[in-house]
Amino acid sequence: MWAELLPVGRSSASGGYRRFAWTGADADCRAWFKDQAETRGLTYELDRNGNQWAWLGDPAGQDAVVTGSHLDSVPDGGAFDGPLGVVSSFAALDELRARGVRFTKPVAIVNFGDEEGARFGLACVGSRLAAGQLTVEQAHRLTDADGVTLPQAMERAGYDPATIGPDPERLARIGAFVELHVEQGRALDLSGDRVGIASAIWPHGRWRFDFRGEANHAGTTRLVDRRDPMLSYAETVLAARREAELAGAVATFGKISVEPNGVNAIPSLVRGWLDSRAADQPTLDTVVTGVEKAAREYAEAHGIELDVVRESFTPVVEFEHALRDELARILGKEADLTVPVLGTGAGHDAGILSGTVPTAMLFVRNPTGVSHSPAEHAAEDDCVAGVTALADVLEGLACR
Ligand code: GLV
Ligand code: MN
Ligand code: MN
């Protein structure tokens, strides 16, 4: 499975993946998923929001046990964030068939569309739509950097955008969703464990800061006559770092667009996107309020107009204790050990679904903690341990 996925959407320049929603690379990932489902004789389904499902047992049955993740990536992402969960799901199913287990519940593998939000700016679009956390009107307004809207992109990829919207009946049939994911930190490396269980996801969001000044000649405009939005933007980046440090949170400006983007022109517009996350909501509010206040002061000092728009927000997710404890019991019994329970600052489809469906996550050790980068890695032994753990969990949940 890895050999087939390896070249899909991979940049030869960076070695990273560019698998953005509804692009050719995404289509190749989707074709791979469908092929994996059909090769195993699973019932393949594409839902109204473009999420893919592979069913063993009756897709219309109740109390289904679902696993899976996503196949899209951030710009120059690693190989594991997303695909490890999907590949491990198919491998776990193969393992359970080899064990000869008898399922008493329907089991499915899912590939949620557009988890990273790299193209349209909003993460977890497929699961948010299904769970009713993104309205059809909001989804219609999502636009990529080239001005292509989400419905246009879906249509160009051969999907009918008219069907998108909440999918409560489908979610109501799910008794448990378990997402396996590469760890995006070093907790397991430090504790010496291959696999962990998620406790919570930090609240997080994305804010767009538009600094508007005046374009002018970089050589002839006196410094005192400039209204340069880059200065306020740069000061705001430093303020974000300072506020995050003070609060014990994280804040990142990782994406920027500049107009007119000429070496010898003072910019007219600097647009920067702030991603901020914290262990709890009051802390996150403090950080973002602090960054915005600083940005307004800097903007005023330089004669710059500033607009701040919150583009997305995901509240804190505390995974259901009953399912989490069940996973710990299943894995502890098999391995005769205590499985570590970890929080994370990364967002996941499991977090979106957790408001609607009993949801849990398994993390697989990442030796460096690096993620959202071509250097992301997980050792083969650890990936195999993840597959075994997922198989044990699916057997425990779907065969009782
Ligand atoms: C998704 O990986 C996110 O946490 O942004
Ligand atoms: Mn990610
Ligand atoms: Mn992911």
Side-chain angles (χ1 to χ4, degrees):
M1 286 187 271
W2 285 120
E4 282 175 26
L5 281 174
L6 196 69
V8 179
R10 189 161 191 245
S11 154
S12 52
S14 69
Y17 289 95
R18 299 174 183 176
R19 296 168 174 162
F20 308 140
W22 308 112
T23 61
D26 190 39
D28 290 347
C29 289
R30 289 166 172 277
W32 173 87
F33 183 95
K34 186 166 187 270
D35 184 56
Q36 293 300 316
E38 289 174 351
T39 304
R40 290 173 174 80
L42 306 174
T43 306
Y44 173 77
E45 265 192 319
L46 182 67
D47 73 17
R48 57 186 299 182
N49 295 305
N51 306 308
Q52 296 180 293
W53 303 76
W55 287 92
L56 182 67
D58 181 7
Q62 295 298 317
D63 205 17
V65 176
V66 179
T67 183
S69 191
H70 62 96
L71 293 173
D72 68 314
S73 78
V74 295
D76 286 333
F80 297 87
D81 177 358
L84 182 64
V86 180
V87 167
S88 299
S89 297
F90 282 116
L93 202 63
D94 294 344
E95 160 75 10
L96 291 174
R97 282 174 154 174
R99 288 183 196 173
V101 306
R102 281 181 55 82
F103 292 105
T104 54
K105 297 175 182 173
V107 174
I109 298 170
V110 61
N111 167 32
F112 281 112
D114 200 2
E115 193 272 349
E116 298 286 8
R119 181 168 177 191
F120 296 100
L122 178 68
C124 301
V125 169
S127 56
R128 272 185 214 273
L129 276 168
Q133 293 181 24
L134 173 67
T135 66
V136 176
E137 294 69 37
Q138 289 167 330
H140 277 241
R141 284 200 295 273
L142 293 174
T143 306
D144 74 6
D146 298 322
V148 179
T149 65
L150 175 66
Q152 287 168 339
M154 290 180 86
E155 202 154 20
R156 286 177 198 175
Y159 293 84
D160 182 4
T163 64
I164 63 171
D167 209 349
E169 291 86 13
R170 176 180 297 277
L171 297 190
R173 292 197 297 271
I174 302 175
F177 173 59
V178 181
E179 179 171 358
L180 177 147
H181 205 278
V182 67
E183 198 201 342
Q184 296 169 294
R186 287 190 56 220
L188 293 173
D189 185 52
L190 295 172
S191 70
D193 295 285
R194 294 183 189 277
V195 177
I197 299 173
S199 57
I201 298 180
W202 283 14
H204 55 282
R206 299 178 182 185
W207 290 261
R208 196 185 77 223
F209 285 60
D210 289 350
F211 298 89
R212 283 174 211 280
E214 184 179 42
N216 213 330
H217 195 292
T220 59
T221 316
R222 297 185 316 157
L223 293 180
V224 290
D225 292 335
R226 297 180 182 207
R227 289 174 51 221
D228 182 350
M230 188 62 84
L231 299 176
S232 325
Y233 168 72
E235 287 168 323
T236 303
V237 174
L238 299 177
R241 171 71 184 221
R242 198 169 55 239
E243 293 293 330
E245 263 173 4
L246 280 172
V250 289
T252 311
F253 277 95
K255 177 174 166 180
I256 179 174
S257 88
V258 180
E259 287 177 18
N261 210 20
V263 179
N264 53 356
I266 297 160
S268 57
L269 169 70
V270 176
R271 176 169 281 164
W273 282 264
L274 172 70
D275 176 311
S276 187
R277 313 179 189 213
D280 58 73
Q281 173 93 41
T283 306
L284 181 55
D285 290 345
T286 303
V287 172
V288 176
T289 307
V291 178
E292 182 170 344
K293 183 167 174 285
R296 293 209 179 279
E297 285 166 12
Y298 300 136
E300 199 179 326
H302 296 292
I304 300 300
E305 285 160 34
L306 172 65
D307 286 314
V308 180
V309 180
R310 189 178 84 174
E311 291 199 331
S312 71
F313 183 74
T314 310
V316 67
V317 170
E318 175 84 22
F319 287 109
E320 213 211 43
H321 287 201
L323 185 59
R324 186 178 109 185
D325 293 348
E326 177 75 357
L327 260 60
R329 195 189 58 72
I330 293 168
L331 296 179
K333 196 169 79 186
E334 292 296 326
D336 195 22
L337 48 74
T338 313
V339 182
V341 178
L342 323 168
T344 177
H348 301 284
D349 294 306
I352 301 297
L353 291 196
S354 72
T356 316
V357 172
T359 300
M361 289 191 74
L362 292 174
F363 291 128
V364 171
R365 176 161 60 186
N366 175 336
T368 60
V370 171
S371 189
H372 286 186
S373 149
E376 180 183 74
H377 186 64
E380 191 170 326
D381 284 358
D382 292 346
C383 295
V384 171
V387 170
T388 306
L390 183 60
D392 292 343
V393 164
L394 296 177
E395 183 174 357
L397 295 177
C399 299
R400 58 186 178 194

